[in-house]
Amino acid sequence: MNFKDLPPIKEQLMKCVRCGKCRSVCPVFAEVKNETAAPRGHVFIVQMLRDDKVEPDHKVYEKLSACLLCENCTVNCPSGIDIHELNAAARAYIYEKNPSLGKELVFDTLWTSPGLLKTSTMLMGGVQKLGLQKLARNIGLTKILPGDLSKAEKMLDSVPSRSARSQLPEVNKAKGEKKYTVGYFLGCGTDLLNPEVALATVNVLTLNGCEVIIPRESKCCGLPHIANGKLETARRLAAHNIKIFNSYEFDYFITDCASCSSALSRKNMEFLFKGLKIEDTAYAFAEKVMDLTVFLVDVLKIEMDGDNLSEKRRVTYHDPCHLANAQGIKSQPRELLQRIPGIELVEMKNANTCCGGSGTYSVTHYDMSMKILDKKMDNAMETGADMIATCCPSCMMQLRYGTQRHKWNCRVIHPVQLINDFYLHKPAKTAGE
Amino acid sequence: MEKAIIGKELVKILGKEKVLVDELDLMYYSYDSSFLTKLEPSNPFAVAMPTSTEEVQQVVRFAWENNINIVPRGAGTGETGGCIAVNGGIVLDLSTWDEIVEIDARNMQVIVRPGVIHANLNDELAKYNLFFPPDPGSSKMCTIGGMVANNASGLRAVKYWATEPYVLGLEVVMPNGDVIITGGMKSRAIKNVSGINLTKFMVGSEGVLGIITRIRLRCFPKPRARGIAMAVFDCLDDAPATVLDVYQAGVLPSGIEILDSSAITAVNEFKPEINLPAAEAILLFEVDGNPPSVDFEGEIIQQIAKKRARSVEWATEEKRMTELWEGRSVTATAAARVRPDGSRIFAGEDISVPLSRVADTLRAIRALGDKYGIKVVNYGHIGDGNVHTAPVINPENPDEVEKVLKMVDEIHLLAIEMGGTTTGEHGVGAVRRPYAEAEHGKAVEYMRKAKEAFDPKGIMNPGKVF
Ligand SMILES: Cc1cc2nc3c(=O)[nH]c(=O)nc-3n(C[C@H](O)[C@H](O)[C@H](O)COP(=O)(O)OP(=O)(O)OC[C@H]3O[C@@H](n4cnc5c(N)ncnc54)[C@H](O)[C@@H]3O)c2cc1C
Ligand code: SF4
Ligand code: SF4
């Protein structure tokens, strides 16, 4: 669809009253402090793009891509503008006009940096399927400073050697009486960077009466592509995933990754497909998508009764932007943590402020990402927690790096891992018992 | 002087991190919250972001010597184009200079640089049990410098008034580069009548006299308790009548706010959890002080309101109070929610009329809305007669724009007609200049003379105020 015909561009741009409310909630603006980094500034420049008052060139792309797409501005905008969608749409428009934007990066910089390439490609999704050559064409990263790259590479030391997919069968039978058949949308980040989360998810779900199927043909959710100006690719990936998941008889499509569930949500489907033929199918698909924490609390209503341990482990929770801002999911992850015996939840200040990871952002904008991370770590460390829990592989990677950076001995985990730990020590009552 | 040379000179003074000269960067400084700049954004020649008095002084000297306009800017949340270089020039973005220099709790005052954000200042002051009372709806984004320059006020002006009474002294860089300190060079006094009061003169001068670089503010002890009464009315006239009765009963609430039926819809659309009842008008009374006095005054307000109101709610629980108060403060932008394809605009948004004329004014504004076929959301600080009008239009439809500009003109004239003013708190800037003569007559001549005495070359924020 033409940039100027996209619903947010057509309907929302004119709604901005430039009140500046969004200035007060943007983590990037808080660092840069001038209007060129303000969400309001992004909205303005997108309008200028629409009106052909600025060239869709790399300079504008650079400004727009300084944004994390954390959606904090969007949820706080009194005029109801999806500021991040305007931004993403504009990136795609500029990219479309300047196909060379991304290649430059891939061929000149990424190729010379094997560790980085590995992780970047992993994050870009589905390297195994696409192959590097094709993938390179698909990546539309902004121009990266080589300085950033060498620093960013440190983040990638601990990429696990075995993916989750290689460890999990396609069909995982329910233990005990079967209640639901769920399609597990195993995202690239969980699969490649946090396979232990996937193992825990499958174990916890099967123990609670779910047959868990991991469709082999599913692909990346497309979120990294949206962030990097590849809207068309994101549409293709979403359409593919819809087709694959719809070909099974699933009660729910579950994912443990905040980014994936937001990419598959109704809101994002509207962004990708509103006005297109596939629209209704996409919305029907999105109806069945559910974040793991919501599924465990609201549908499975899991309870874990255990001994009231006197010595509790302190856990602080970091809200992934794609859960808290994009989907308004804040209570269920906390509720889950509080239900685990022996866990004490301690809130950190600004728990729902971005950690600066934001998918590929920590690689493309290393210095800014670190400034934002350092603030997050200060707040997390202040709680004196033993663990940071969060529901997004990108946040987990970033926070883990944060703990190393601050020499803080603290585990970074997904809540489902703690539930799994609990079951390992005290087998769950399987359904029907 | 050519733009490129201006840029180079500024970089020499400030270094390149503190200067923007790229055309793309300059575009981000072409607007503030005004409808004017939404229609006609206007780029400066350059943006400078000084963070010391010396840096400001050097930039100003350079501008003075080369006859280049200087336009101070805070957060750009003004609604009048005040911080926009409408005639070209260098924009001084002072928002990055956000240092709280000293909280002098023993002397009940605080010293700040101009870029400190209002809400951040109060967060810091709270640690000392102090607060700076004026509270604009833009508290989380506007700067103290901008508040002083606009003499901003807000929801609590009924009891605490505007910024002006709190400003004890200023450091100002004059258009020729001189630096003056008003309110006494070394003074930490709270009371001070020595000399012609240049502090008061600078407050509300909208950047046309000099650049405010340091602000000494009086603080108040933070009240220990707070309560909010919400009264719901089926008849518009009952609202102002209730306000007058409350005053008559000897109660001075900290704020009294009104929302009309369309504003109620807008708030509910934006934050359904606030769940305001549908009505012709809602009044929110905030009282603060010590717990017994808050209860006592709350009781009186409830009794008086019940005489006319359909229902009255009294809230002292923090969550509900925040909801109600925030509900009111977000109305400014949430107004747009009353029309799916519309946007509110900031134009004709800030008239202030005598208390006795508030109901007539609201009715007249509704009639104007009907006349032009424009949806208008009304809300505001009824306690001091300050009515905020939010026309909701499609700003990209030229017909609607033409109509709304005519309507706004009529609203401004209506305010003067009612014995009020075209602006109660947001200022004149570029948008309300045309009404200066009608409002002030010969006094405008003396305003001009005063400006000439401070700024003989006319480089300070030209095209504003008169
Ligand atoms: C949603 C919303 C709600 C608002 N609610 C209120 C309200 O309740 N009450 C109210 O009074 N206003 C309100 N305003 C208007 C505005 O926020 C205030 O006038 C505020 O004080 C402007 O501050 P700023 O930092 O954004 O200044 P800017 O808009 O950047 O500048 C305002 C004026 O001050 C001058 N200026 C700025 N800094 C300096 C300086 N250091 N030295 C000299 N001149 C300077 C500029 O040249 C300009 O003329 C609201 C605005 C919005 C968008
Ligand atoms: S908060 Fe919304 S309306 Fe206000 S400036 Fe930002 S984008 Fe525009
Ligand atoms: S999405 Fe996040 S980083 Fe981007 S402009 Fe909005 S608040 Fe800032």
Side-chain angles (χ1 to χ4, degrees):
Chain A
M1 197 188 269
N2 192 317
F3 166 67
K4 295 180 188 184
D5 294 329
L6 286 170
I9 302 293
K10 266 176 97 163
E11 293 156 17
Q12 294 190 2
L13 265 183
M14 59 101 168
K15 282 183 169 280
C16 176
V17 290
R18 320 244 189 274
C19 70
K21 176 88 201 273
C22 48
R23 279 170 61 111
S24 65
V25 297
C26 173
V28 177
F29 177 78
E31 300 299 332
V32 180
K33 288 185 182 173
N34 76 53
E35 192 72 30
T36 66
R40 166 174 81 166
H42 297 318
V43 175
F44 175 75
I45 226 63
V46 175
Q47 187 188 330
M48 295 297 106
L49 272 174
R50 180 201 63 181
D51 298 345
D52 299 319
K53 301 251 170 71
V54 288
E55 283 298 309
D57 60 14
H58 74 279
K59 267 165 60 185
V60 179
Y61 193 96
E62 226 174 271
K63 293 271 183 272
L64 291 169
S65 65
C67 152
L68 295 150
L69 298 178
C70 75
E71 305 190 27
N72 214 20
C73 50
T74 297
V75 292
N76 281 288
C77 168
S79 302
I81 301 171
D82 294 311
I83 305 170
H84 68 288
E85 287 186 1
L86 294 174
N87 187 321
R91 290 186 201 182
Y93 172 60
I94 299 173
Y95 191 84
E96 201 180 286
K97 299 271 170 194
N98 306 273
S100 63
L101 260 178
K103 275 187 193 158
E104 200 178 303
L105 165 90
V106 174
F107 294 112
D108 296 350
T109 342
L110 278 187
W111 283 100
T112 59
S113 173
L116 189 65
L117 179 65
K118 189 174 163 212
T119 300
S120 304
T121 48
M122 281 173 165
L123 289 173
M124 285 293 129
V127 61
Q128 307 100 313
K129 285 174 215 107
L130 285 175
L132 287 182
Q133 186 100 37
K134 186 145 173 245
L135 186 96
R137 259 186 277 128
N138 284 348
I139 305 177
L141 289 177
T142 179
K143 210 172 83 192
I144 307 182
L145 303 170
D148 274 0
L149 274 182
S150 57
K151 290 188 223 158
E153 226 170 343
K154 283 187 280 186
M155 299 189 65
L156 316 170
D157 286 349
S158 55
V159 177
S161 54
R162 285 188 69 192
S163 72
R165 274 176 202 278
S166 68
Q167 301 177 58
L168 285 165
E170 181 165 15
V171 178
N172 301 271
K173 290 265 180 238
K175 294 170 185 151
E177 189 198 333
K178 183 170 114 181
K179 293 188 212 156
Y180 301 107
T181 308
V182 304
Y184 175 25
F185 190 93
L186 176 51
C188 320
T190 304
D191 183 26
L192 302 168
L193 299 173
N194 297 294
E196 65 287 357
V197 174
L199 302 183
T201 295
V202 170
N203 198 34
V204 168
L205 286 175
T206 50
L207 276 173
N208 281 283
C210 296
E211 177 166 307
V212 181
I213 297 177
I214 312 169
R216 286 296 183 222
E217 316 87 320
S218 73
K219 287 187 180 167
C220 172
C221 69
L223 206 66
H225 305 82
I226 293 177
N228 290 295
K230 300 294 297 172
L231 212 49
E232 242 350 285
T233 315
R235 284 200 186 96
R236 260 203 325 272
L237 288 166
H240 170 85
N241 287 325
I242 292 171
K243 198 172 112 206
I244 297 301
F245 274 73
N246 279 347
S247 68
Y248 295 78
E249 295 278 316
F250 290 140
D251 299 312
Y252 293 94
F253 309 142
I254 303 300
T255 173
D256 46 35
C257 167
S259 300
C260 294
S261 58
S262 85
L264 304 174
S265 70
R266 159 102 192 193
K267 186 83 194 60
N268 196 52
M269 290 298 156
E270 281 176 22
F271 176 54
L272 292 177
F273 296 126
K274 197 168 176 186
L276 300 179
K277 226 168 71 191
I278 186 177
E279 188 178 7
D280 290 337
T281 318
Y283 299 163
F285 165 84
E287 287 304 310
K288 285 193 179 179
V289 175
M290 201 177 271
D291 185 79
L292 176 68
T293 59
V294 180
F295 185 63
L296 292 175
V297 173
D298 294 351
V299 179
L300 292 177
K301 301 188 170 60
I302 69 164
E303 296 292 345
M304 286 155 277
D305 28 85
D307 312 323
N308 221 346
L309 303 173
S310 55
E311 204 170 304
K312 298 214 171 200
R313 286 178 297 165
R314 291 163 70 81
V315 178
T316 191
Y317 178 69
H318 160 72
D319 287 287
C321 302
H322 286 126
L323 219 49
N325 289 339
Q327 306 179 76
I329 300 170
K330 294 178 202 163
S331 65
Q332 289 91 341
R334 290 181 168 81
E335 178 65 41
L336 262 186
L337 288 168
Q338 277 163 333
R339 284 188 195 176
I340 305 170
I343 295 294
E344 185 197 353
L345 176 66
V346 270
E347 287 290 338
M348 69 171 105
K349 214 171 104 193
N350 299 332
N352 68 345
T353 304
C354 184
C355 63
S358 188
T360 45
Y361 192 90
S362 51
V363 178
T364 55
H365 296 76
Y366 181 81
D367 288 335
M368 179 56 68
S369 170
M370 288 307 118
K371 284 185 187 162
I372 296 168
L373 174 62
D374 288 345
K375 279 190 182 162
K376 176 100 276 177
M377 296 317 292
D378 286 345
N379 289 331
M381 288 190 291
E382 217 177 81
T383 64
D386 307 308
M387 283 180 271
I388 309 177
T390 190
C391 301
C392 167
S394 165
C395 300
M396 286 175 74
M397 179 166 105
Q398 175 85 344
L399 294 171
R400 230 171 247 150
Y401 185 62
T403 57
Q404 288 165 23
R405 193 175 150 85
H406 290 262
K407 305 196 169 38
W408 181 29
N409 186 12
C410 176
R411 231 180 118 198
V412 179
I413 43 93
H414 189 292
V416 76
Q417 290 175 271
L418 291 179
I419 303 175
N420 195 41
D421 286 354
F422 170 79
Y423 285 160
L424 289 178
H425 293 113
K426 180 176 173 129
K429 281 194 218 146
T430 50
E433 230 178 89
Chain B
M1 187 181 262
E2 257 183 67
K3 274 197 211 174
I5 304 178
I6 296 178
K8 270 201 192 121
E9 291 301 317
L10 289 176
V11 170
K12 265 194 225 155
I13 299 171
L14 299 173
K16 68 177 190 319
E17 279 75 35
K18 291 183 180 176
V19 179
L20 302 174
V21 281
D22 187 275
E23 277 308 317
L24 178 62
D25 289 338
L26 298 178
M27 291 179 84
Y28 292 85
Y29 284 81
S30 64
Y31 57 81
D32 61 0
S33 303
S34 64
F35 187 49
L36 172 82
T37 58
K38 187 150 175 176
L39 294 176
E40 299 164 33
S42 168
N43 292 5
F45 299 155
V47 176
M49 296 174 271
T51 52
S52 72
T53 308
E54 294 68 34
E55 285 182 351
V56 173
Q57 198 178 17
Q58 286 180 51
V59 173
V60 170
R61 281 210 178 112
F62 163 72
W64 171 263
E65 278 156 20
N66 295 286
N67 290 314
I68 303 166
N69 297 333
I70 291 270
V71 182
R73 178 181 172 108
T77 67
E79 286 151 355
T80 67
C83 64
I84 302 304
V86 288
N87 297 322
I90 300 167
V91 161
L92 282 191
D93 180 349
L94 295 151
S95 69
T96 67
W97 193 11
D98 56 358
E99 179 196 359
I100 297 175
V101 181
E102 185 188 346
I103 296 178
D104 184 356
R106 288 198 316 171
N107 289 309
M108 305 289 286
Q109 49 196 276
V110 58
I111 296 170
V112 299
R113 293 302 182 180
V116 173
I117 301 289
H118 176 262
N120 295 353
L121 175 61
N122 269 338
D123 284 349
E124 288 306 310
L125 288 175
K127 296 176 186 164
Y128 300 82
N129 240 342
L130 293 174
F131 83 126
F132 166 54
D135 65 330
S138 47
S139 164
K140 291 206 172 114
M141 53 268 194
C142 75
T143 66
I144 301 292
M147 284 184 71
V148 173
N150 273 1
N151 192 13
S153 49
L155 281 68
R156 299 195 175 105
V158 176
K159 179 170 174 181
Y160 295 107
W161 201 225
T163 303
E164 185 251 4
Y166 299 90
V167 187
L168 298 172
L170 297 169
E171 176 187 84
V172 185
V173 177
M174 303 307 287
N176 64 359
D178 283 353
V179 177
I180 62 165
I181 290 168
T182 71
M185 296 270 289
K186 294 183 184 162
S187 177
R188 289 280 164 113
I190 290 180
K191 254 180 158 178
N192 182 344
V193 292
S194 148
I196 286 180
N197 198 331
L198 290 181
T199 308
K200 307 268 164 196
F201 197 65
M202 289 304 303
V203 178
S205 64
E206 300 194 21
V208 304
L209 299 179
I211 296 134
I212 298 159
T213 49
R214 188 167 175 273
I215 302 153
R216 185 162 66 92
L217 288 175
R218 183 178 185 191
C219 309
F220 273 13
K222 210 169 145 53
R224 280 200 280 181
R226 201 177 147 222
I228 293 177
M230 175 171 79
V232 183
F233 298 92
D234 290 322
C235 167
L236 184 65
D237 284 282
D238 286 345
T242 302
V243 172
L244 293 179
D245 281 0
V246 167
Y247 287 148
Q248 289 290 316
V251 175
L252 184 63
S254 43
I256 314 177
E257 293 294 312
I258 186 167
L259 295 150
D260 82 350
S261 51
S262 50
I264 296 167
T265 314
V267 171
N268 284 340
E269 284 282 322
F270 180 45
K271 299 233 160 161
E273 66 274 17
I274 298 177
N275 199 10
L276 298 175
E280 266 298 288
I282 284 181
L283 284 184
L284 295 170
F285 293 87
E286 186 201 57
V287 283
D288 68 358
N290 288 311
S293 73
V294 166
D295 290 342
F296 180 75
E297 295 189 339
E299 189 52 44
I300 294 182
I301 292 172
Q302 287 179 75
Q303 278 170 19
I304 293 172
K306 274 180 189 153
K307 282 193 231 155
R308 297 189 184 83
R310 185 201 332 152
S311 66
V312 182
E313 178 188 334
W314 172 243
T316 48
E317 185 210 343
E318 197 53 48
K319 185 167 166 275
R320 184 63 181 157
M321 287 195 296
T322 310
E323 261 176 21
L324 291 175
W325 212 238
E326 266 195 7
R328 161 52 196 95
S329 58
V330 298
T331 324
T333 350
R337 304 269 172 145
V338 297
R339 180 176 155 184
D341 63 339
S343 165
R344 82 138 308 166
I345 57 162
F346 286 113
E349 80 292 346
D350 182 40
I351 61 167
S352 188
V353 296
L355 289 180
S356 58
R357 307 300 298 273
V358 169
D360 292 343
T361 306
L362 287 175
R363 252 191 304 273
I365 292 173
R366 280 193 186 173
L368 284 174
D370 292 341
K371 174 176 159 189
Y372 289 100
I374 291 169
K375 235 184 160 72
V376 181
V377 174
N378 288 305
Y379 60 97
H381 318 310
I382 189 176
D384 48 35
N386 194 182
V387 178
H388 289 326
T389 312
V392 181
I393 62 162
N394 176 349
E396 300 192 337
N397 177 339
D399 276 354
E400 289 189 47
V401 170
E402 198 190 319
K403 274 194 207 150
V404 86
L405 291 177
K406 283 189 188 147
M407 185 182 82
V408 162
D409 182 44
E410 287 206 47
I411 292 176
H412 283 134
L413 296 173
L414 170 77
I416 299 173
E417 178 63 33
M418 289 279 177
T421 167
T422 54
T423 173
E425 56 186 21
H426 299 166
V428 177
V431 299
R432 282 184 270 267
R433 280 175 75 204
Y435 308 99
E437 307 280 344
E439 220 179 310
H440 302 291
K442 202 168 174 60
V444 176
E445 202 183 304
Y446 282 81
M447 292 184 199
R448 286 212 180 90
K449 284 186 185 169
K451 154 102 171 152
E452 268 163 35
F454 279 68
D455 177 24
K457 288 190 173 182
I459 61 164
M460 276 308 304
N461 207 1
K464 314 290 163 65
V465 186
F466 32 65

